[in-house]
Amino acid sequence: MASVLEEDSERIIKDIEIEDRNIERYQIQSGKLYNLWHSKNYVATESYGLKIIGHGNWLPGVFETMAKLYRRQKRYNSEIDILEAGIQAQKEHSNSGVAIRDFQLRIERIHELQPNSNSID
């Protein structure tokens, strides 16, 4: 019985360590994305943002930066899509607090802005 518990403990610890490494990598990626956004390299921002989201980066800052990009470009439908993806990613990682609320507020604001826009994504 003790060896089974030890194996379970070792597996749990290993899973935690893997998740910690992923989060560290995701934080580095988020910083790089923000730097691209801050330097106004919008093409690279979108490309890199979609790439890291596609590879599992679920951190709220990634979705927030992408939403800002789409808002700046008045691509409201893309902004809604990325925010909805961000909400789903937060739910999947049990991060249902502030990020989801903020994303939902942004979506509400888009609905206020969208009728006044002639842009199409």
Side-chain angles (χ1 to χ4, degrees):
M1 179 73 169
S3 68
V4 170
L5 291 175
E6 286 178 24
E7 289 176 18
D8 285 346
S9 294
E10 288 176 20
R11 182 186 46 77
I12 291 168
I13 290 170
K14 189 174 187 174
D15 289 346
I16 291 170
E17 289 171 345
I18 290 170
E19 182 64 22
D20 287 348
R21 283 193 300 273
N22 284 339
I23 290 174
E24 288 174 13
R25 186 178 80 235
Y26 295 160
Q27 289 171 333
I28 291 168
Q29 291 172 343
S30 296
K32 289 178 181 179
L33 181 66
Y34 178 79
N35 289 338
L36 288 169
W37 161 253
H38 189 67
S39 68
K40 299 182 180 182
N41 189 339
Y42 301 136
V43 172
T45 300
E46 182 174 18
S47 178
Y48 187 66
L50 293 174
K51 177 181 177 180
I52 63 177
I53 289 169
H55 285 106
N57 191 321
W58 56 270
L59 297 182
V62 172
F63 294 94
E64 180 182 0
T65 299
M66 295 297 290
K68 288 178 185 178
L69 170 71
Y70 294 137
R71 173 77 56 92
R72 171 148 303 166
Q73 297 172 338
K74 295 184 173 33
R75 294 172 54 194
Y76 299 121
N77 291 332
S78 293
E79 184 178 0
I80 290 170
D81 290 345
I82 205 70
L83 290 169
E84 288 176 346
I87 289 169
Q88 187 60 38
Q90 301 319 298
K91 288 179 180 178
E92 289 172 5
H93 288 87
S94 300
N95 187 21
S96 60
V98 175
I100 289 177
R101 183 200 67 210
D102 290 349
F103 291 170
Q104 289 171 333
L105 289 172
R106 282 188 74 99
I107 290 171
E108 290 173 19
R109 178 66 180 139
I110 295 164
H111 290 300
E112 294 171 7
L113 294 172
Q114 205 168 21
N116 300 323
S117 173
N118 294 326
S119 78
I120 299 174
D121 301 57

